[in-house]
Amino acid sequence: MGFSTKAIHAGNEPDPTTGAVTVPIYQTSTYQQEGLGKPRGGYEYARTQNPTRLAVERNIAALEGARFGYAFASGMAAIDATLRLIKAGEHVVVSDNTYGGTFRLFSRVLADYGIEFSYVDTTDPLNVEAALRPNTRMVFVETPTNPVMMITDLKAVSDLAHAAGARVVCDNTFMSPYLQRPIEFGVDIVVHSTTKYLNGHSDSVGGVAVLNDEKDAEKLAFIQNAVGAILSPFDSWLVLRGTKTLAVRMEQHDATGRAVAAFLEEHPKVRKLYYPGSLSHRQHELAKRQQKGFGGMVAFDVGSLENARTVLESVRLCTLAESLGGVETLISHPATMTHASVLPETRARLGITDGLVRISVGLEETEDIIADLDQALSKI
Ligand SMILES: *Cc1c(COP(=O)(O)O)cnc(C)c1O
């Protein structure tokens, strides 16, 4: 079955009671039991099971090529639940340029529970190999990274990690399963902030973890119920609606992303472009190999905070805001917004300068987005 067919049908069976074509929002906390110890159809309590959530879990698992899926209240909740597969005294290798919230969760919450973390530049698999220890049980990568779009070779890292007895987790939020399916390269667990492309309309916060390993899946299901950070029925329904159009949305994000990147690369006010689709990106070939496209995230450097401020305050169509992956074009300033808590020297090493601007290209007309950026850049 093709991607779009799965997106529309996986998990989306007509409702057994009424035949409703769209999975209803099962807004209930509990379910009537037929007799003592006889729940109807396996449903007892809605933290444990909810048909709307089950549908979106099956749907996203199918899109990533996984057997099992678990939906959570946010991307961070999905990542937290996944890290609970790790015990005190065990070690995790992490991309040093992960989403800021992931770094905060690992370094300021989970480190207090005896989990050891090593942050390395995973764009070179040799760094991952060098960081592996006898107690390493997980390698956690994000590719492409936010906002400078560095790529990690998923196959190379998976092979190294597996040889050392560690599972590999990939945060696939920036690509969505339409543009990249990490499991096909050997990754064990894929996590998403569904807040971004999967829901796609900037109107829900959620997360998901999908995987094939039965033992880890059983544990994740247990954690999901025991800890309880579940995705609500309404948000499950919104994400389920979002993924039906994922393929067409990602095609357009990708096409407009390429056009916007090409425009920026030629613009005299732009000092440097960060877009894996550009031939000037040093990992363009790797990106081409493991991604179906390059997506809608584009970052560019205009040389100074003053110039960045001019662009960010002159745009009229693009909205100045954090987040990404929605239908509207969002523009942001990583150094003072998403990466404000990252140490200045780390920011400098990663290329997150004061002049860096990030765009999440939306689904407006490509010409209108480019015209808006052009008039804003002309104010520099
Ligand atoms: C937004 C984001 C998260 C966190 O997701 P929330 O839904 O905001 O909790 C994690 N990883 C990446 C790459 C993100 O962009």
Side-chain angles (χ1 to χ4, degrees), residues 207-265:
V208 70
V210 303
L211 69 171
N212 275 319
D213 184 82
E214 223 159 293
K215 261 203 179 132
D216 275 356
E218 222 170 84
K219 183 99 194 280
L220 257 182
F222 183 84
I223 290 163
Q224 184 191 40
N225 181 52
V227 179
I230 50 163
L231 192 65
S232 77
F234 182 54
D235 287 289
S236 296
W237 183 83
L238 281 173
V239 177
L240 201 52
R241 185 166 75 156
T243 58
K244 286 175 186 163
T245 56
L246 185 65
V248 285
R249 283 189 289 110
M250 292 317 295
E251 280 291 337
Q252 191 59 49
H253 281 298
D254 184 54
T256 307
R258 290 176 201 230
V260 167
F263 160 78
L264 290 169
E265 191 149 43

Side-chain angles (χ1 to χ4, degrees), residues 74-77 79 99 102 142 171 173-174 193-196 205-206 324:
S74 67
M76 289 323 305
I79 293 170
Y99 176 75
T102 301
E142 197 177 310
D171 182 336
T173 300
F174 264 41
S193 166
T194 60
T195 314
K196 316 296 168 50
V205 171
L324 60 114

Side-chain angles (χ1 to χ4, degrees), residues 97-119:
N97 181 208
T98 55
Y99 176 75
T102 301
F103 177 69
R104 182 175 54 195
L105 171 70
F106 291 4
S107 62
R108 298 187 53 191
V109 180
L110 298 175
D112 286 346
Y113 292 85
I115 300 175
E116 298 165 27
F117 293 97
S118 294
Y119 302 92

Side-chain angles (χ1 to χ4, degrees), residues 69-357:
Y70 303 96
F72 296 88
S74 67
M76 289 323 305
I79 293 170
D80 177 65
T82 303
L83 264 289
R84 287 173 197 249
L85 296 170
I86 301 299
K87 295 190 182 74
E90 294 180 343
H91 174 242
V92 181
V93 177
V94 193
S95 292
D96 65 353
N97 181 208
T98 55
Y99 176 75
T102 301
F103 177 69
R104 182 175 54 195
L105 171 70
F106 291 4
S107 62
R108 298 187 53 191
V109 180
L110 298 175
D112 286 346
Y113 292 85
I115 300 175
E116 298 165 27
F117 293 97
S118 294
Y119 302 92
V120 303
D121 176 359
T122 58
T123 58
D124 184 349
L126 293 178
N127 294 335
V128 175
E129 188 171 32
L132 293 169
R133 300 180 193 163
N135 62 339
T136 306
R137 291 291 170 271
M138 185 180 283
V139 175
F140 188 103
V141 300
E142 197 177 310
T143 180
T145 59
N146 175 28
V148 290
M149 313 300 285
M150 299 315 296
I151 314 286
T152 291
D153 186 331
L154 293 172
K155 169 104 180 44
V157 167
S158 297
D159 289 348
L160 286 169
H162 291 159
R167 27 170 122 59
V168 179
V169 181
C170 177
D171 182 336
N172 198 29
T173 300
F174 264 41
M175 283 286 98
S176 90
Y178 183 70
L179 294 179
Q180 176 172 275
R181 283 183 293 281
I183 287 173
E184 292 175 2
F185 299 96
V187 165
D188 302 284
I189 305 176
V190 175
V191 294
H192 279 279
S193 166
T194 60
T195 314
K196 316 296 168 50
Y197 287 110
L198 288 176
N199 180 59
H201 294 72
S202 306
D203 53 13
S204 157
V205 171
V208 70
V210 303
L211 69 171
N212 275 319
D213 184 82
E214 223 159 293
K215 261 203 179 132
D216 275 356
E218 222 170 84
K219 183 99 194 280
L220 257 182
F222 183 84
I223 290 163
Q224 184 191 40
N225 181 52
V227 179
I230 50 163
L231 192 65
S232 77
F234 182 54
D235 287 289
S236 296
W237 183 83
L238 281 173
V239 177
L240 201 52
R241 185 166 75 156
T243 58
K244 286 175 186 163
T245 56
L246 185 65
V248 285
R249 283 189 289 110
M250 292 317 295
E251 280 291 337
Q252 191 59 49
H253 281 298
D254 184 54
T256 307
R258 290 176 201 230
V260 167
F263 160 78
L264 290 169
E265 191 149 43
E266 294 303 313
H267 200 284
K269 298 282 169 62
V270 174
R271 305 271 179 91
K272 188 163 168 53
L273 174 81
Y274 296 91
Y275 188 66
S278 159
L279 292 173
S280 66
H281 191 287
R282 72 171 169 90
Q283 295 175 298
H284 175 70
E285 286 305 317
L286 172 59
K288 234 167 58 179
R289 206 161 65 229
Q290 69 184 19
Q291 302 171 193
K292 190 183 165 201
F294 306 105
M297 298 304 296
V298 185
F300 59 103
D301 202 317
V302 288
S304 69
L305 179 60
E306 202 40 49
N307 288 349
R309 188 193 306 279
T310 302
V311 172
L312 293 160
E313 293 182 352
S314 303
V315 287
R316 297 189 205 117
L317 176 66
C318 305
T319 304
L320 176 59
E322 293 194 7
S323 200
L324 60 114
V327 291
E328 56 289 289
T329 298
L330 300 180
I331 193 162
S332 67
H333 186 242
T336 58
M337 294 167 74
T338 47
H339 290 66
S341 62
V342 177
L343 295 172
E345 38 298 7
T346 311
R347 281 208 302 268
R349 182 171 49 80
L350 296 171
I352 306 169
T353 60
D354 286 351
L356 191 73
V357 174

Side-chain angles (χ1 to χ4, degrees), residues 358-376:
R358 185 191 85 177
I359 317 175
S360 166
V361 171
L363 301 181
E364 302 94 340
E365 287 299 330
T366 306
E367 293 70 28
D368 293 336
I369 298 170
I370 290 175
D372 189 39
L373 291 169
D374 197 21
Q375 66 78 22

